[in-house]
Amino acid sequence: MALRYERGGAAALGAADWLCLAAAPTFAIMALLSGVLGGGAPDMLCSGASPLSGMTAMYLLMSAFHAAPWLKLVSRRPTAGRS
């Protein structure tokens, strides 16, 4: 994912590579919680009738936009059928 420039920076870049994997699941959980628990009175004023509006929709979009590191990780994973 990231370029390794120095010996000392390799550990920091490795941690950053793993940290970028945390965003998509975090936003997905936040979307689930805001959809199930609701946002309260301010969210009710803005949301209309759809449960996928307001904060839930925003968290779902953010989760989708941050899914690229997961897609890269899965695409590099070897499968049983490929050699």
Side-chain angles (χ1 to χ4, degrees):
M1 284 184 201
L3 296 174
R4 311 281 193 250
Y5 292 109
E6 300 175 13
R7 283 183 280 145
L13 289 174
D17 289 343
W18 285 105
L19 184 61
C20 71
L21 293 173
T26 302
F27 287 126
I29 290 169
M30 291 169 71
L32 180 67
L33 289 175
S34 65
V36 170
L37 299 177
D43 203 27
M44 292 298 285
L45 294 172
C46 300
S47 69
S50 174
L52 289 178
S53 58
M55 295 302 287
T56 304
M58 182 194 70
Y59 288 137
L60 286 173
L61 282 172
M62 291 174 73
S63 179
F65 290 142
H66 287 88
W70 282 100
L71 296 174
K72 287 179 186 177
L73 184 67
V74 170
S75 70
R76 283 190 265 169
R77 189 175 181 189
T79 60
R82 283 194 286 183
S83 36

